[in-house]
Amino acid sequence: MTTTLVDLDLFTDLRRFGAADVSACFTCGTCTATCPLSDDAAAFPRQLIRYAEVGLKDDLLGSKELWVCYHCGLCSETCPTQADPAEFMATARRYAVASYDPSGLARILFTRPVLASVIATVVAAFLAAFMYSAHGPQESSSLDLFRFIPDQLIHWIGIAVMVVMALAGLVGLVRMTGQVARREQVGLRDVFGSRPALRRTLSAAWSAIAVESLGQRRYRADCGADDPPEPLYRRRWLVHALTIWGFLGLLVATVLDWGLALLRIKETGTPIPVWYPSRLIGTIAGISLMYGVTMFMVARVRRTGTSYQVSTAADWLLLVLLWLTGATGFLIEAALYLPAAPGWGYWMFLFHVAVAMELMLLLPFTKFAHAIYRPLGLFFYARAKAHVHTA
Amino acid sequence: MSEPRRIGVYICHCGGNISDHVDVQRVREAVAGHADVVVAETKLFACADGTQHEMVTAIQEQNLDGLVVASCSPKLHQITFRGVAKRAELNPYTYTQVNIREQCSWAHTDDPEGATQKAIGLVRAGIAQSRLSTPLNPLVVETLPRTMVIGGGVAGLRAAIGLADIGLQVIVVERGSRVGGWLAQLGPMFPNDRSGREQIDALLAEVAKRPMITVITNAELVGKSGSFGNYTALVRVNGEPDNVLEVEVGTFVVATGTDVYQPELGEYGYGIDGVLTLAEYSALVDSASGRLTYRDRPVRSVAYIYCVGNRQPGGNEYCSKFCCAATAHASIKVSKLDPKVKQYHLHRGIRTYGTYELMYSESRERGSVYLRFPDDTPPEVAKLPSGQLAVTVLDPSTSDAELTIPADLVVLVTGMVPRQNDELTNLLKLPVGSDGYYNEIHPKLRPVETVVDGVLIAGTCQGPKTAGESVSAGLAAVTQSGGILKKGFAELDPLVATVRPAACTGCAECVSSCPYEAISMTPADGREVAVVSAATCKGCGGCVPVCPEDALDLLGHTDAQTLASIDSLLEEAVR
């Protein structure tokens, strides 16, 4: 048996990230009992609230359970003391993202809304200014975007942004892996050490990435216990899935377009018809993303359902960046179809590229970080689940 | 043989409770033809209103002079059927209750025949008892309109005011040098944050307005004589042997209060600097101005350990019930002083019943963390090398790991323990329960009366109570005193011992056998004979078999009645 010295300040620190009501908790466990996702392999939210209250920081940050929760809000509806466990889970995820990031940027973006807005604006402005510094003429007969901002410049800045994002994300992932593996008592040997271990790892990775993250299986099947059920077009899992698929679709279209240019099949910026693969994917994905993000924003404004009762600046930052990226993209499309090239089309383009780059650059530091941490959490969950089943 | 009697016998089915195992019809037949039995009937429920009415009618129409009901325990319905006799103008002491439920049907469910035979024997014995009964009348004793309240805490003071208000004189006897008890030492209290001192001062102001109340401090009850309603109490003042007051009172209200548990050295680290009892900690919190400090150092974290000295198997097994609420309250006070102080409550189930629950909620809302430790794994207190205290506890609701909580102060939440007061206990013959506190007759229905007539108990001498509960008990004692003393007289059960002076040789064996000091030797016709004070005698019968001359008899249960009962019980066997 090990003895853990508790961190007296953990709870105070957590409160900076939200969850004002959770101290009303008296550990009855109703939340865990009613949660459709909580099971033997991952029991929450009660135990995580306990970690926070008592001051078990390492246990909290090592909880894969944080990422099994999709914030349906059922626990908050059934909580006898209105401690709002669902909001606590969201808070703990914010805290975890901030803790996995050693730079301190994520902490600022989550806990200081005004400063976060300033940073977001400055970063976008800086990226735009940097690209504008190398700008060419604005052709007025037809919209020639890549004469205005050279495509090579965009490519290289884009690559730089992706590298920074990947490095920061990797650091966070490694830190999270260390914490979770310690709590789960999973060593390197358990993951890669033998053929059965490797098989189990691959199966868990498939479940975490393909089935759950891309397929949204449990979000769709187990988390949809709304009573009365929302109409399909408003159901959270679908709105969320359309957002993911839309974002990934746009990423694929972008990479595809770049790939075509690298293969010298098609120069970046050459006019192409709507049915052209990269453009078709981009258009459909864009519509999907815009639908999802807009539905989320509407739900947050109207506070429809328990999940949307509390909206933090961090929630809005991600939605706004996604929405601006999508909306400006479609405005560029519109500008392309206008007979004379409008001047605002060029500015829209500059804005679009800057916001999209910022979105990727800040990914590990914003709510967007759940896109990398959740699959890792779900990986550990799938491993544990397989263990529970075989035990 | 004695005079012929006219006795009515009723055998109760108790709706099957009796008749399922005892053949009540056969019992009836066995006694129906008996000498002196005029009425013998079975009843579905003897205690039912309609049945009682039928009995009254039968007693009057048949001109009965004795009544026997074979039903349940006399504890349950003796008073009921004495009432039936009274309403029919039959002397209630000619009534005999026979218990054929607890003693027959319930005890012998496996043997209906045996149960029936036993019931027949018991009913015959009851008839024999009633046959030799004589009409008895309650003893009437005059009572003094004066009460002595022992103990000047909140219960005693409030009782004194209540007694004075119903027109009784009151003498408050306080052993200490000042009145107020525990409450006078307490700071702001739930729910309106008035300090204990303030509340006692308010009571003392009321006491001062009432000339009917006399308060004597540094005083102790050292002697009691006389009988119910007419006691003579001896009060020693200032511990001086020749400074003894003699006071005549009708009743006593014992409100001697309680002690708080004092941990032993080393118990949860008690003795280490910074480990305090709840009482010590409360005083520290109430005296804090601005921030909470201990030995001039700011307190940033506090760990409370609950149920110290209480709820201990083999020790004080009871719950003191005020301590959870008092600790929650203290934690709220501390968080108001400094919301940043970390407070950990290590408990065994929080019992903030009633409105105290609000404090428990507020305490949690203000950031106090509550951890329930397993009963068999108490927390451990140690000093860290850094000089800070640390409490190690197992919190099963978190994980299986032990937690170590650093704390500037460790508070041992200590409950109440009975106050050692043997002299008073012996003097007033107060019954002491297994927990060491004084026992009332019935915890619900007779909550302040003791088996000693005219001696009432109130407050924490009865067991752990909050201030509010103590005051309620004090006021209940006022009502009971009033009920006894305001009529000016009291009626006592006449079932007491008597002496046939002619047979008494004056050996005084009976005097020492009486636990109530009801028998004394008195000169009569030039010799000493035993005399029983009827008002003091409790009718226990302990003196009767002690007498070598059979000079003593117990009214209602005379030797003759007992012998006749035994004969009747054995009738079948002898035949």
Side-chain angles (χ1 to χ4, degrees):
Chain A
M1 187 182 286
T2 54
T3 293
T4 316
L5 190 68
V6 304
D7 181 345
L8 297 175
D9 297 313
L10 174 62
F11 202 65
T12 319
D13 196 20
L14 259 166
R15 281 177 174 239
R16 298 193 181 107
F17 293 80
D21 304 320
V22 77
S23 56
C25 172
F26 55 24
T27 323
C28 70
T30 306
C31 49
T32 303
T34 52
C35 175
L37 297 176
S38 174
D39 57 25
D40 287 349
F44 60 94
R46 188 197 64 80
Q47 193 172 38
L48 306 198
I49 295 175
R50 200 72 192 148
Y51 287 156
E53 278 194 316
V54 171
L56 293 176
K57 185 176 166 183
D58 289 341
D59 285 289
L60 184 65
L61 291 177
S63 292
K64 62 183 186 306
E65 286 81 355
L66 288 175
W67 307 101
V68 182
C69 164
Y70 287 109
H71 198 157
C72 72
L74 193 61
C75 52
S76 289
E77 285 165 29
T78 53
C79 175
T81 63
Q82 284 90 49
D84 204 351
E87 178 55 22
F88 167 80
M89 291 296 285
T91 300
R93 282 190 290 273
R94 288 174 211 136
Y95 177 75
V97 170
S99 303
Y100 300 146
D101 162 38
S103 73
L105 177 60
R107 173 171 278 268
I108 293 171
L109 293 180
F110 279 113
T111 57
R112 308 189 55 182
V114 177
L115 191 54
S117 314
V118 172
I119 290 173
T121 314
V122 167
V123 170
F126 175 77
L127 287 166
F130 190 77
M131 289 183 282
Y132 186 69
S133 66
H135 76 96
Q138 293 185 0
E139 214 48 64
S140 58
S141 53
S142 67
L143 210 59
D144 192 347
L145 300 170
F146 295 98
R147 271 200 75 191
F148 176 51
I149 307 291
D151 54 335
Q152 284 304 311
L153 182 66
I154 295 175
H155 281 154
W156 285 114
I157 298 177
I159 287 164
V161 162
M162 293 300 269
V163 167
V164 171
M165 184 272 275
L167 283 176
L170 199 63
V171 169
L173 282 173
V174 167
R175 285 163 66 97
M176 173 176 162
T177 305
Q179 296 266 28
V180 178
R182 193 175 312 131
R183 177 163 172 269
E184 298 288 311
Q185 295 178 331
V186 175
L188 217 53
R189 193 183 299 256
D190 302 316
V191 184
F192 302 114
S194 65
R195 197 172 281 268
L198 208 58
R199 200 175 300 130
R200 192 169 148 196
T201 300
L202 287 174
S203 148
W206 170 256
S207 162
I209 295 167
V211 182
E212 299 298 345
S213 297
L214 297 177
Q216 304 272 289
R217 187 186 62 83
R218 292 193 83 202
Y219 203 165
R220 183 179 66 230
D222 300 338
C223 213
D226 298 337
D227 186 31
E230 291 272 321
L232 184 66
Y233 74 95
R234 275 212 320 245
R235 237 170 262 177
R236 285 181 71 235
W237 78 265
L238 187 67
V239 173
H240 188 242
L242 287 174
T243 310
I244 296 177
W245 297 335
F247 179 82
L248 290 176
L250 285 169
L251 198 65
V252 167
T254 308
V255 173
L256 208 60
D257 203 54
W258 185 40
L260 292 175
L262 288 179
L263 296 171
R264 302 195 185 281
I265 297 172
K266 176 186 95 58
E267 279 294 312
T268 301
T270 334
I272 38 169
V274 173
W275 52 260
Y276 200 82
S278 59
R279 186 158 175 214
L280 187 64
I281 293 173
T283 306
I284 293 171
I287 291 170
S288 174
L289 177 80
M290 285 306 285
Y291 177 81
V293 175
T294 308
M295 289 302 279
F296 274 132
M297 292 171 99
V298 169
R300 285 203 176 272
V301 170
R302 292 173 56 191
R303 299 192 179 190
T304 48
T306 321
S307 321
Y308 303 116
Q309 288 307 307
V310 179
S311 295
T312 63
D315 295 320
W316 283 114
L317 180 64
L318 175 60
L319 289 176
V320 166
L321 287 179
L322 284 169
W323 196 86
L324 285 178
T325 310
T328 49
F330 278 107
L331 282 174
I332 297 164
E333 287 279 297
L336 280 169
Y337 281 94
L338 288 176
W344 57 262
Y346 290 102
W347 298 115
M348 203 51 66
F349 176 66
L350 182 63
F351 187 63
H352 172 79
V353 177
V355 171
M357 284 179 178
E358 172 176 34
L359 182 68
M360 296 312 292
L361 182 65
L362 295 184
L363 184 146
F365 311 99
T366 60
K367 189 185 180 181
F368 209 173
H370 76 275
I372 55 173
Y373 294 131
R374 189 180 289 277
L376 183 59
L378 289 171
F379 167 77
F380 278 104
Y381 169 73
R383 272 194 98 261
K385 182 100 179 155
H387 188 69
V388 167
H389 276 253
T390 51
Chain B
M1 272 307 279
S2 53
E3 297 281 302
R5 299 285 294 253
R6 298 181 63 77
I7 297 172
V9 181
Y10 293 90
I11 298 134
C12 184
H13 287 248
C14 196
N17 268 305
I18 294 170
S19 55
D20 283 354
H21 304 292
V22 169
D23 187 341
V24 291
Q25 208 52 44
R26 265 179 62 204
V27 177
R28 190 194 75 80
E29 283 159 13
V31 299
H34 230 266
D36 299 345
V37 174
V38 177
V39 176
E41 291 178 11
T42 62
K43 295 288 178 194
L44 191 58
F45 284 107
C47 57
D49 269 0
T51 318
Q52 288 189 34
H53 190 71
E54 284 169 33
M55 289 183 188
V56 171
T57 311
I59 293 166
Q60 286 172 332
E61 284 179 356
Q62 300 283 335
N63 203 18
L64 302 183
D65 63 4
L67 179 66
V68 174
V69 178
S71 56
C72 50
S73 161
K75 272 194 159 181
L76 209 61
H77 278 312
Q78 185 165 55
I79 290 172
T80 310
F81 296 118
R82 275 188 188 164
V84 167
K86 222 175 188 172
R87 292 204 295 282
E89 287 169 27
L90 173 66
N91 187 286
Y93 296 97
T94 62
Y95 164 68
T96 303
Q97 172 120 4
V98 178
N99 181 357
I100 59 166
R101 192 178 73 177
E102 285 84 342
Q103 293 181 356
C104 294
S105 62
W106 282 359
H108 307 294
T109 50
D110 57 333
D111 182 9
E113 177 57 29
T116 304
Q117 288 300 332
K118 185 174 173 182
I120 291 170
L122 289 172
V123 174
R124 280 179 178 153
I127 293 167
Q129 173 93 5
S130 267
R131 183 187 287 126
L132 294 179
S133 64
T134 48
L136 298 171
N137 291 310
L139 297 161
V140 176
V141 291
E142 283 190 24
T143 56
L144 291 164
R146 192 179 299 135
T147 296
M148 175 172 286
V149 175
I150 304 169
V154 69
L157 290 175
R158 187 62 189 91
I161 293 166
L163 289 162
D165 285 348
I166 59 168
L168 295 171
Q169 289 195 315
V170 190
I171 299 109
V172 180
V173 176
E174 166 59 47
R175 187 164 64 176
S177 59
R178 52 190 301 192
V179 290
W182 280 110
L183 199 65
Q185 303 174 28
L186 300 180
M189 294 173 74
F190 182 79
N192 41 28
D193 278 340
R194 281 182 74 196
S195 77
R197 185 70 249 173
E198 258 177 87
Q199 297 180 58
I200 289 293
D201 286 344
L203 283 181
L204 289 177
E206 292 300 313
V207 168
K209 284 184 204 161
R210 288 165 176 78
M212 300 279 271
I213 305 176
T214 310
V215 178
I216 316 174
T217 53
N218 288 319
E220 266 185 286
L221 184 70
V222 291
K224 184 206 83 171
S225 57
S227 58
F228 173 53
N230 296 277
Y231 288 114
T232 302
L234 300 178
V235 177
R236 187 167 61 211
V237 186
N238 291 333
E240 295 157 9
D242 41 357
N243 191 357
V244 174
L245 304 173
E246 193 176 303
V247 192
E248 304 211 312
V249 295
T251 58
F252 291 94
V253 173
V254 178
T256 48
T258 186
D259 277 331
V260 294
Y261 180 75
Q262 189 62 25
E264 288 172 25
L265 275 184
E267 186 174 357
Y268 294 110
Y270 193 64
I272 301 177
D273 193 35
V275 181
L276 308 175
T277 65
L278 179 61
E280 292 162 349
Y281 177 69
S282 296
L284 184 77
V285 173
D286 289 333
S287 66
S289 53
R291 295 178 67 187
L292 181 66
T293 56
Y294 179 70
R295 299 210 191 285
D296 297 328
R297 265 182 291 178
V299 174
R300 295 196 180 84
S301 53
V302 182
Y304 303 91
I305 301 174
Y306 283 63
C307 298
V308 175
N310 274 178
R311 299 177 67 202
Q312 306 295 332
N316 298 322
E317 290 184 331
Y318 53 85
C319 161
S320 285
K321 70 182 178 175
F322 80 97
C323 2
C324 283
T327 311
H329 193 218
S331 74
I332 293 169
K333 287 185 198 171
V334 168
S335 103
K336 283 179 180 169
L337 284 172
D338 180 359
K340 289 205 172 84
V341 176
K342 304 289 184 303
Q343 303 188 70
Y344 283 80
H345 301 249
L346 316 184
H347 65 93
R348 288 172 58 198
I350 289 294
R351 297 179 171 185
T352 45
Y353 57 100
T355 46
Y356 301 129
E357 182 70 9
L358 303 180
M359 287 198 282
Y360 177 35
S361 299
E362 189 183 343
S363 169
R364 293 199 320 276
E365 280 159 16
R366 289 176 171 276
S368 270
V369 177
Y370 286 78
L371 295 96
R372 182 176 180 155
F373 63 85
D375 289 356
D376 56 359
T377 321
E380 283 169 22
V381 181
K383 212 171 180 87
L384 294 175
S386 65
Q388 200 178 27
L389 292 166
V391 184
T392 302
V393 66
L394 200 64
D395 177 34
S397 28
T398 307
S399 62
D400 287 335
E402 280 182 341
L403 309 180
T404 298
I405 299 162
D408 294 331
L409 286 182
V410 174
V411 179
L412 307 185
V413 177
T414 41
M416 295 177 175
V417 287
R419 182 166 270 175
Q420 293 303 312
N421 220 338
D422 294 342
E423 281 172 32
L424 185 75
T425 308
N426 293 333
L427 189 67
L428 292 179
K429 310 242 178 315
L430 289 165
V432 178
S434 59
D435 57 6
Y437 284 104
Y438 296 146
N439 265 6
E440 56 284 309
I441 291 179
H442 191 286
K444 295 185 191 71
L445 304 178
R446 302 177 75 179
V448 294
E449 294 164 83
T450 67
V451 289
V452 190
D453 288 323
V455 177
L456 307 162
I457 51 178
T460 48
C461 67
Q462 299 181 276
K465 281 186 169 55
T466 63
E469 290 162 353
S470 286
V471 167
S472 297
L475 291 175
V478 170
T479 311
Q480 287 304 314
S481 287
I484 295 164
L485 303 181
K486 288 300 285 181
K487 275 192 294 187
F489 65 90
E491 288 191 350
L492 301 182
D493 225 0
L495 304 174
V496 295
T498 55
V499 183
R500 280 185 296 125
C504 178
T505 59
C507 70
E509 285 285 324
C510 54
V511 174
S512 56
S513 75
C514 178
Y516 303 100
E517 292 166 21
I519 311 177
S520 54
M521 302 307 291
T522 313
D525 301 331
R527 62 195 179 98
E528 294 268 304
V529 291
V531 171
V532 177
S533 160
T536 314
C537 176
K538 303 297 295 177
C540 73
C543 53
V544 176
V546 169
C547 179
E549 307 298 332
D550 283 343
L552 285 156
D553 220 345
L554 190 63
L555 293 177
H557 299 279
T558 60
D559 285 355
Q561 282 176 309
T562 306
L563 289 170
S565 292
I566 295 170
D567 286 346
S568 304
L569 198 56
L570 298 173
E571 204 171 286
E572 208 73 26
V574 171
R575 193 180 290 165

